[in-house]
Amino acid sequence: MNILGIESSCDETAAAVVENGRKVKSNIVASSLEEHKIYGGVVPEIASRRHAEAISGVVSEALAQSGCALGDIDAVAVTFAPGLIGSLLVGVNFAKGLAVSSEKPLVPVHHLRSHVASNYISSDIEPPFLCLIVSGGHSHIVAVNGYTDFKIIGKTRDDAAGEALDKAGRVMGLEYPGGISIDKISPSGNADAYAFPHPKISGAPYDYSFSGLKTAVINAVHNAEQKGEKINIPDLAASFQKNVVACLLSNLEKAAEDFGYKKIVLAGGVSANSLLRSESKALCRRHKWRLYLPELKYCGDNAAMAASQGYYEFLAGVRAGADLNAYATMPIDIVKF
Ligand code: KG4
Ligand code: ZN
């Protein structure tokens, strides 16, 4: 089965063709990231305008590069939630038009489920497994017990890990997105130079809280400024990153031990982080757990992962009609449309 995937939840306009959920035949991504950099974050209005301009060409290119004609496509899968509503609507409406006019089934796909599926196109992993999903908007520990069977074990109470890295990067005067800048600059810094708290939530051992860390980094910069001291940005970045990674992995370790998972999976934009990748490898080696990491090209937003998850949703009988809407928020475990 060939699934055409369409993804437009944030600032990437993407389309891809994937065969049987695993074999990527094409994967086209057009990003408006450069335009957002001067604002220090994604400007929703700009992102949706760029999606509207790019989507038709991106989908045509994905079909052309896959070697498939529209007639060879068995279903159209589209990200419908969660994300920026104006951005999502562009992909959803394009997919609806395409599905109706070509009489193909329309399969709505949850964006975080797609991030999990980035592993299906990177390796031969099959559920059940425990997955740490870390993106710009979410930090979840999820038990993936089947391709469409998700149970949230833990999640952030405030900021997502990516959001915390991006905000910290901004305070440090680094280029947006801060997560990528901090990853780049950290090897030249001393990760033990600054101490950060390790927030714990009583009664919720798998939940995260990152907003306090963000405040701590802001305070470190302001205190230094007030004292007329020069802050060492690589040291600060390396220390902050070390702390975020330690927080992410300590809850993941506890969840894997408590629930008995021996297959560990990472997903989402922050799974591209070099320290998170190396530390999760070390953690899994210590416990003799099997670790799966998405290929770097599938960590950020793309449509190959949406087409992959779309295939499994299709097999599970998930279909939407021409009344499909987009939703800014939606839990990964209870998907409604
Ligand atoms: O999954 P994603 O592309 O979009 C969302 O669904 O949110 O994740 C974007 C997030 C941003 O916060 C970005 O800073 C972070 O992923 N990110 C990274 C790295 N690459 C992207 N964070 C740390 N290290 C990286 N190498
Ligand atoms: Zn994403």
Side-chain angles (χ1 to χ4, degrees), residues 111 115 135 301 305:
H111 183 61
H115 272 301
S135 70
D301 291 345
M305 64 186 194

Side-chain angles (χ1 to χ4, degrees), residues 10 40-42 84 133-140 155-172 175-180 182 208-215 217-218 240 244 248 268-271:
C10 191
V42 174
L84 299 171
I133 309 174
V134 268
S135 70
H138 298 83
S139 300
H140 278 14
K155 60 181 175 188
T156 182
R157 295 292 180 99
D158 39 58
D159 289 356
E163 194 179 353
L165 287 160
D166 291 345
K167 286 175 178 169
R170 197 195 308 203
V171 174
M172 294 178 212
E175 185 182 70
Y176 176 83
I180 297 178
I182 288 176
Y208 296 111
S209 169
F210 290 110
S211 68
L213 290 187
K214 180 190 65 192
T215 313
V217 81
I218 292 171
F240 188 79
V244 169
L248 287 172
V270 183
S271 69

Side-chain angles (χ1 to χ4, degrees), residues 65-272:
Q65 284 199 15
S66 72
C68 293
L70 192 53
D72 303 320
I73 298 297
D74 296 288
V76 179
V78 64
T79 308
F80 79 109
L84 299 171
I85 193 72
S87 288
L88 285 166
L89 279 169
V90 176
V92 165
N93 283 310
F94 193 90
K96 280 203 283 197
L98 195 61
V100 169
S101 61
S102 61
E103 297 180 340
K104 310 277 180 203
L106 177 66
V107 182
V109 178
H110 188 283
H111 183 61
L112 295 184
R113 291 187 177 196
S114 296
H115 272 301
V116 175
S118 64
N119 287 280
Y120 305 145
I121 50 177
S122 300
S123 73
D124 57 2
I125 188 169
E126 292 174 14
F129 54 80
L130 190 69
C131 186
L132 174 67
I133 309 174
V134 268
S135 70
H138 298 83
S139 300
H140 278 14
I141 297 173
V142 178
V144 183
N145 295 324
Y147 288 104
T148 57
D149 180 356
F150 299 79
K151 186 168 183 295
I152 300 173
I153 305 282
K155 60 181 175 188
T156 182
R157 295 292 180 99
D158 39 58
D159 289 356
E163 194 179 353
L165 287 160
D166 291 345
K167 286 175 178 169
R170 197 195 308 203
V171 174
M172 294 178 212
L174 303 174
E175 185 182 70
Y176 176 83
I180 297 178
S181 298
I182 288 176
D183 192 3
K184 275 193 199 143
I185 199 177
S186 289
S188 58
N190 171 11
D192 297 315
Y194 294 88
F196 286 102
H198 189 140
K200 292 216 183 300
I201 295 155
S202 72
Y206 317 113
D207 280 1
Y208 296 111
S209 169
F210 290 110
S211 68
L213 290 187
K214 180 190 65 192
T215 313
V217 81
I218 292 171
N219 289 345
V221 171
H222 288 176
N223 288 345
E225 277 169 1
Q226 273 169 4
K227 289 184 198 156
E229 290 170 6
K230 197 172 168 345
I231 201 128
N232 183 313
I233 297 295
D235 284 0
L236 188 62
S239 306
F240 188 79
Q241 176 180 260
K242 184 182 171 185
N243 194 272
V244 169
V245 168
C247 290
L248 287 172
L249 292 183
S250 69
N251 290 15
L252 180 67
E253 180 177 26
K254 181 156 178 48
E257 282 176 326
D258 292 355
F259 293 92
Y261 284 91
K262 295 189 180 344
K263 277 196 287 182
I264 306 297
V265 173
L266 262 52
V270 183
S271 69

